[in-house]
Amino acid sequence: MNQEEKLQRMKELSAILLQASRAYYQESREMMSNFEYDKLYDELLKLEDETDIVLAGSPSQKVGYESLSELPKEAHESPMLSLDKTKDVEALQEWLGSQKGLLSWKMDGLTIVLTYEGGSLVKAVTRGNGEIGEVITNNARVFANVPLRIAYQGQLILRGEAVIRYSDFNRINEEIGDADARYKNPRNLCSGSVRQLNNEITAQRNVHFQAFSLVRADGVDFANSRQKQFEWLKSQGFDVVDYQETDRETLPEAVRQFAEKIQSYDIPSDGLVLLMDDIAYGESLGRTAKFPRNSIAFKWADEIRETKICEVEWSASRTGLINPVAIFEPVELEGTTVSRASVHNISIMEALKLGEGDTITVYKANMIIPQIAENLTRSGTIRIPDHCPVCGGQTQIRQVGEVRSLYCTNPDCQAKKIKSFALFVSRDALNIDGMSEATLEKFIAAGFIHEFADIFHLDRHEESIITMEGFGQKSYDNLVAAVKTASQTTLPRMIYGLGIPGIGTANARMLCREFHSDFDRLRHAQQEELVLVDGIGQVLADAWVSYFSLEKNNEQVDRLLAELTIEQEEESQTAAVFAGMTFVITGSVEHFANRKELQAAIEVRGGKATGSVTSKTTYLINNDVTSNSSKNKKAKELGVPIISEKDFLAMLEE
């Protein structure tokens, strides 16, 4: 590669990495795995070193994310640098040399700077872009473990990581019925929780603070030791990151011990940090433009093994999506035997050019999830199936954006049937506690459930259910009790649970409001009546009429109604100030607990909340009104006003 080609490749890599970084830090989504990102990043660093050129805006010169919220901004006294990193234990040993070091977790949350004066917490600021952070003092006051007062009366400045533990992350996600609305990982949830404008929401998330660096504590003698600083912080009531004292000889064993713990460690971590214990020596080393020289990060080296593909299995999901799964000769990875890895979609499969008998390399993303790193053979001989592996129905390739995926077109596919029942028992529908998709799959396969009404007659199969794997008398009794509780419901919940295409919770409530909860009138309504309802266009009206035109559906609904007690809801007395208006909500919310709460505030006032910006959208609600997100761009193209939550709240007060 000549100099010109290297420069062109550097520009390509910068664009890809910046886009991936923006997606991860600002939009709470992932475009690529850590393995892929690190591989491209290392390639960029190598090219910059070879050319001795660093382009403006290079990811190698950026630190952290740019602040986007309306929180007050504040410059740090000194830049908060990121850490140089390595995946090689021997490189760690060389870096430490003859010094004593402290090896600790590199936590995966949001870095915070706390300031105490006179024994009281007076300020908390996020790391932000390394030079300017956001002031989140009110939120830090409601962290689960931050001391509000300490014994030390001088000025104390310390740094640490705000984290949400896996146990809390799983608990929060379990409370969200809609799988698509669940948080992707603890770091994204933590970032949104810490940067809230409403600290009541922060308090609900059980955010913890783990101190990892003392910046200032005048008048305290730490005997020139970082370890003494950690011990002193503990004495002041702070939780300090778990660490282990080490030297060049004991370092490999210390790394191994941390690696053993990561699978069960409750605090998210993406590596380790090695810090020189000698304060004066470490500070005498100075810093580069981007990294301090007294500490270094260790990222888990992906253990990569070579193996051969036996076949590609096609796994049908409950949405009709059919995912390719690579089955390969078993290999040992991170202490366990693995023999399969999801390929996710056809686009990835085609990019890897997979074929039976191909030699591939595999690794575990974050030491947990098996992934294919590279295909060394690239035969590309895998055939995309014409028929669904579950029902035998015709398949179809669909493209959404740049991603090609395979779908089953049979509406009666068993996999889709499970999804239909899963919607019916979900939180926003009948809300049957304990009726998971796995349980539904067992009951459907056993022939206990054929239609919705069958769920209310599980008592007919008591003996069979209590002998099923994972069940017993207590589990059965709890499930039957949950079904009985769910039999008292509301008409909008029941309608939503039927799964009529396009009829979501908002449309179900709107239909019930306009037809005064008269279900008999509703089911016999024609297109011309339905399209008069705000938010119900021709497509939804056709879907409704089509559903109730089938005698089979009406008979099933009648049998379902016989099992239910429909509660009569009082019609809302709130003024319908948003009647005829359609809102789209995007991005994180700050004044409401979540998007559903904001959606409810719209609907109770006669408005409608939808998922896509169209010419019929009245307002797009996005706290980042200037972003270049796809929805913002669409709104600007169509002339749809983009408003913040504050603007929306002002509309309520008018």
Side-chain angles (χ1 to χ4, degrees), residues 496-513:
Y496 170 64
L498 296 178
I500 301 171
I503 304 298
T505 55
N507 289 327
R509 283 193 286 269
M510 193 69 71
L511 286 165
C512 290
R513 183 184 296 127

Side-chain angles (χ1 to χ4, degrees), residues 25-40:
Y25 285 110
Q26 299 177 4
E27 300 170 14
S28 296
R29 61 186 179 88
E30 294 185 29
M31 284 180 52
M32 61 180 66
S33 68
N34 286 340
F35 180 89
E36 294 168 314
Y37 185 93
D38 287 345
K39 184 179 177 182
L40 296 179

Side-chain angles (χ1 to χ4, degrees), residues 8 13 42 83 105 171 176 195 220 237 245 255 289 582 589:
Q8 183 59 38
L13 289 169
D42 289 342
L83 298 180
W105 295 109
R171 171 184 56 80
I176 301 173
R195 300 165 69 203
V220 182
E245 184 182 345
V255 171
T582 300
V589 294

Side-chain angles (χ1 to χ4, degrees), residues 410-559:
N410 177 15
D412 297 319
C413 177
Q414 186 79 346
K416 293 183 181 180
K417 194 173 183 182
I418 293 167
K419 183 66 177 179
S420 172
F421 284 106
L423 173 67
F424 180 76
V425 303
S426 69
R427 182 176 173 180
D428 290 332
L430 272 288
N431 191 23
I432 301 179
D433 188 36
M435 188 74 81
S436 66
E437 288 193 9
T439 297
L440 285 167
E441 198 164 1
K442 289 179 182 178
F443 290 177
I444 292 169
F448 302 160
I449 298 176
H450 298 280
E451 59 179 85
F452 297 135
D454 293 335
I455 291 174
F456 299 91
H457 293 287
L458 294 176
D459 54 321
R460 297 170 180 169
H461 312 285
E462 178 177 358
E463 289 185 13
S464 299
I465 291 174
I466 61 176
T467 59
M468 281 183 164
E469 183 181 351
F471 273 88
Q473 189 64 52
K474 186 175 181 181
S475 298
Y476 166 80
D477 291 342
N478 290 340
L479 186 58
V480 169
V483 169
K484 184 176 181 181
T485 299
S487 67
Q488 278 201 241
T489 189
T490 64
L491 189 58
R493 281 179 173 273
M494 189 274 285
I495 289 174
Y496 170 64
L498 296 178
I500 301 171
I503 304 298
T505 55
N507 289 327
R509 283 193 286 269
M510 193 69 71
L511 286 165
C512 290
R513 183 184 296 127
E514 292 299 318
F515 283 76
H516 303 287
S517 297
D518 186 338
F519 182 67
D520 196 53
R521 272 188 63 207
L522 257 174
R523 78 156 96 189
H524 292 104
Q526 297 303 306
Q527 282 100 331
E528 53 269 25
E529 292 179 90
L530 293 166
V531 295
L532 295 176
V533 178
D534 182 40
I536 305 296
Q538 191 66 43
V539 173
L540 294 187
D542 287 344
W544 180 275
V545 172
S546 176
Y547 183 89
F548 286 108
S549 68
L550 298 176
E551 191 59 33
K552 179 182 76 171
N553 288 343
N554 281 286
E555 290 172 354
Q556 288 188 8
V557 170
D558 285 336
R559 288 191 286 271

Side-chain angles (χ1 to χ4, degrees), residues 120-374:
S120 297
L121 175 64
V122 295
K123 187 166 58 180
V125 184
T126 68
R127 178 173 181 267
N129 65 5
E131 295 184 357
I132 298 174
E134 298 162 313
V135 180
I136 49 103
T137 310
N138 287 339
N139 294 346
R141 293 184 192 279
V142 298
F143 284 2
N145 64 336
V146 164
L148 298 182
R149 294 193 63 83
I150 59 175
Y152 178 67
Q153 294 298 297
Q155 185 186 57
L156 168 64
I157 302 176
L158 71 155
R159 296 172 180 172
E161 198 84 350
V163 294
I164 288 181
R165 297 175 175 178
Y166 282 116
S167 52
D168 289 316
F169 173 75
N170 293 333
R171 171 184 56 80
I172 291 167
N173 263 349
E174 285 170 3
E175 294 171 357
I176 301 173
D178 182 0
D180 293 334
R182 290 174 181 164
Y183 298 99
K184 304 302 179 188
N185 56 59
R187 187 201 178 279
N188 291 346
L189 174 58
C190 183
S191 178
S193 302
V194 169
R195 300 165 69 203
Q196 285 286 333
L197 292 182
N198 179 358
N199 70 352
E200 289 184 17
I201 299 172
T202 307
Q204 294 167 7
R205 304 283 172 77
N206 204 30
V207 179
H208 283 72
F209 177 82
Q210 299 277 312
F212 61 67
S213 175
L214 192 154
V215 179
R216 177 182 300 162
D218 295 336
V220 182
D221 182 9
F222 297 114
N224 194 38
S225 168
R226 294 290 182 188
Q227 186 170 6
K228 296 290 185 186
Q229 288 184 338
F230 282 175
E231 291 171 357
W232 183 81
L233 285 172
K234 288 180 182 178
S235 74
Q236 297 295 313
F238 294 97
D239 285 347
V240 173
V241 60
D242 289 343
Y243 67 91
Q244 185 172 328
E245 184 182 345
T246 187
D247 58 28
R248 183 188 181 107
E249 299 305 317
T250 60
L251 189 54
E253 175 61 18
V255 171
R256 187 192 66 78
Q257 290 177 11
F258 274 99
E260 284 182 352
K261 295 176 184 175
I262 193 170
Q263 296 285 358
S264 58
Y265 196 57
D266 201 23
I267 295 175
S269 168
D270 56 0
L272 303 174
V273 173
L274 182 59
L275 171 68
M276 287 185 178
D277 183 59
D278 188 318
I279 297 173
Y281 178 76
E283 290 181 349
S284 73
L285 298 175
R287 43 170 275 193
T288 68
K290 189 177 180 185
F291 308 123
R293 289 197 171 100
N294 68 343
S295 54
I296 187 171
F298 174 79
K299 296 201 72 175
W300 303 113
D302 298 303
E303 186 179 1
I304 298 178
R305 291 285 181 270
E306 193 173 289
T307 184
K308 287 189 176 181
I309 291 182
C310 302
E311 62 176 315
V312 169
E313 180 182 278
W314 294 88
S315 175
S317 75
R318 296 165 179 83
T319 60
L321 180 66
I322 304 174
N323 288 321
V325 179
I327 312 299
F328 44 82
E329 294 177 358
V331 290
E332 287 284 326
L333 277 179
E334 313 293 353
T336 62
T337 303
V338 295
S339 59
R340 55 194 296 128
S342 174
V343 188
H344 303 297
N345 53 56
I346 290 176
S347 293
I348 293 176
M349 187 189 77
E350 291 177 336
L352 287 167
K353 294 187 177 179
L354 296 182
E356 290 184 10
D358 283 359
T359 300
I360 60 172
T361 57
V362 294
Y363 72 104
K364 277 189 178 180
N366 293 326
M367 300 177 73
I368 298 172
I369 305 169
Q371 299 281 302
I372 296 176
E374 292 181 276

